[in-house]
């Protein structure tokens, strides 16, 4: 148990369909992140939330992607009109300070991810 | 811009040592190291901050050369459990959890 639960773990869909992934941190955390990881690559930042507010979005997040965190706890990532290029592992993460908050030493704890395969 | 890791892959026998390097073209505030096993989440190992502070794993050490914008992860007396893909993640400022990850180094430890 990593402290972050993601569902579903695997999703196979046909091109053009919509999919939604959910992230549930076990405890309250102000900041929540979404990353995408394709095969053989490191995770790539997509977006992050400070409580309910979505504060930053990567250019990787096209108009077909939308993320929400309505109550500042769980978050959802929806992909509309999926394309084969969307096939990837979608990782959710929370951060925890390892020292004084002014030090910037925040560590990411990732969930196990939701693997999307678009046929 | 994505940091560059080297080597891309390492194969070791148990007990051998390994060094994984991470190099960035941008000024760095911190370097984070993670290990990911197949089908699992990346797991935090070590954070190195500008100014020399380090926090992390007891049996793994790392260095951070701020001037060269490089970091190295030192794995000594490797164990089978060390097998996995190692990623460095870099941060240019105190932007909390927004990391730019390298492409990864695959480490395989054989008995």
């Amino acid at each position: 148990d990593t402290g972050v639960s993601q569902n579903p773990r695997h999703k196979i869909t046909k091109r053009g369909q919509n999919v939604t992934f959910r992230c549930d941190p076990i405890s309250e955390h102000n900041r929540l992140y979404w990353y995408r990881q394709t095969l053989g690559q490191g995770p790539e930042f997509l977006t992050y939330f400070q409580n309910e507010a979505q504060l930053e979005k990567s250019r990787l997040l096209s108009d077909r992607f939308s993320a929400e965190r309505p109550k500042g706890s769980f978050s959802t990532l929806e992909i509309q009109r999926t394309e084969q290029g969307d096939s990837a592992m979608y990782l959710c993460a929370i951060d925890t300070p390892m020292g004084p908050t002014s030090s910037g030493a925040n560590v990411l704890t990732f969930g196990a991810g939701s693997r999307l395969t678009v046929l | 811009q994505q940091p560059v890791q080297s080597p891309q892959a390492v194969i070791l026998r148990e007990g051998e040592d390994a060094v994984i390097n991470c190099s960035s073209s941008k000024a760095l505030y911190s370097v984070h190291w993670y290990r990911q096993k197949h089908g699992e989440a990346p797991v935090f190992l070590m954070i190195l901050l500008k100014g020399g502070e380090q926090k992390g794993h007891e049996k793994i050490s790392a260095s951070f050369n701020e001037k060269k914008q490089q970091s190295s992860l030192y794995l000594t007396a490797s164990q089978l459990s060390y097998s996995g893909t190692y990623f460095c993640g870099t941060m240019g400022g105190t932007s909390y959890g927004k990391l730019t990850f390298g492409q990864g180094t695959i480490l395989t430890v054989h008995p």
Side-chain angles (χ1 to χ4, degrees):
Chain A
D1 186 359
T2 66
V4 179
S5 176
Q6 291 191 245
N7 288 288
R9 292 293 311 279
H10 303 277
K11 179 72 176 179
I12 301 173
T13 191
K14 292 183 179 178
R15 187 163 48 97
Q17 297 295 304
N18 299 344
V19 295
T20 299
F21 301 117
R22 179 173 169 129
C23 172
D24 284 89
I26 287 178
S27 57
E28 286 188 11
H29 281 81
N30 289 342
R31 288 184 296 275
L32 182 149
Y33 304 80
W34 285 98
Y35 280 77
R36 181 179 73 181
Q37 186 176 25
T38 54
L39 202 61
Q41 296 296 317
E44 297 172 290
F45 171 80
L46 291 179
T47 188
Y48 95 95
F49 291 85
Q50 173 95 20
N51 298 315
E52 303 92 349
Q54 187 174 16
L55 296 187
E56 188 169 347
K57 291 165 62 172
S58 161
R59 283 176 289 181
L60 295 173
L61 219 61
S62 75
D63 291 344
R64 297 184 296 105
F65 288 70
S66 61
E68 294 183 344
R69 196 181 183 201
K71 297 182 180 179
S73 55
F74 73 92
S75 176
T76 58
L77 177 68
E78 181 183 15
I79 309 173
Q80 295 182 328
R81 305 181 303 282
T82 52
E83 302 173 355
Q84 287 184 326
D86 298 332
S87 294
M89 176 77 83
Y90 290 86
L91 295 163
C92 177
I94 53 176
D95 69 2
T96 307
M98 287 200 76
T101 51
S102 60
S103 73
N106 285 54
V107 169
L108 289 178
T109 297
F110 286 94
S114 293
R115 180 169 294 285
L116 174 65
T117 302
V118 182
L119 302 176
Chain B
Q1 196 157 357
Q2 186 181 38
V4 176
Q5 290 185 229
S6 63
Q8 290 188 340
V10 184
I11 299 175
L12 300 173
R13 294 276 181 201
E14 260 187 304
E16 292 181 339
D17 302 338
V19 180
I20 301 173
N21 302 301
C22 175
S23 180
S24 174
S25 59
K26 297 173 70 172
L28 300 177
Y29 176 81
S30 64
V31 179
H32 304 228
W33 286 95
Y34 287 79
R35 177 172 62 211
Q36 185 176 31
K37 294 184 181 284
H38 184 69
E40 299 180 9
V43 174
F44 169 76
L45 294 175
M46 176 80 66
I47 183 171
L48 301 105
L49 299 171
K50 192 174 181 179
E53 188 177 4
Q54 297 187 16
K55 297 179 185 295
H57 203 285
E58 290 179 356
K59 297 184 179 180
I60 294 174
S61 62
S63 64
F64 179 20
N65 187 322
E66 298 166 31
K67 287 185 178 178
K68 292 186 177 180
Q69 295 151 202
Q70 294 175 345
S71 177
S72 294
L73 187 71
Y74 305 98
L75 304 165
T76 57
S78 59
Q79 305 170 16
L80 295 176
S81 62
Y82 286 10
S83 292
T85 302
Y86 289 76
F87 294 100
C88 68
T90 58
M91 193 178 289
T94 55
S95 52
Y96 302 110
K98 182 186 174 184
L99 294 172
T100 303
F101 285 93
Q103 81 280 16
T105 295
I106 301 171
L107 181 77
T108 306
V109 181
H110 291 297

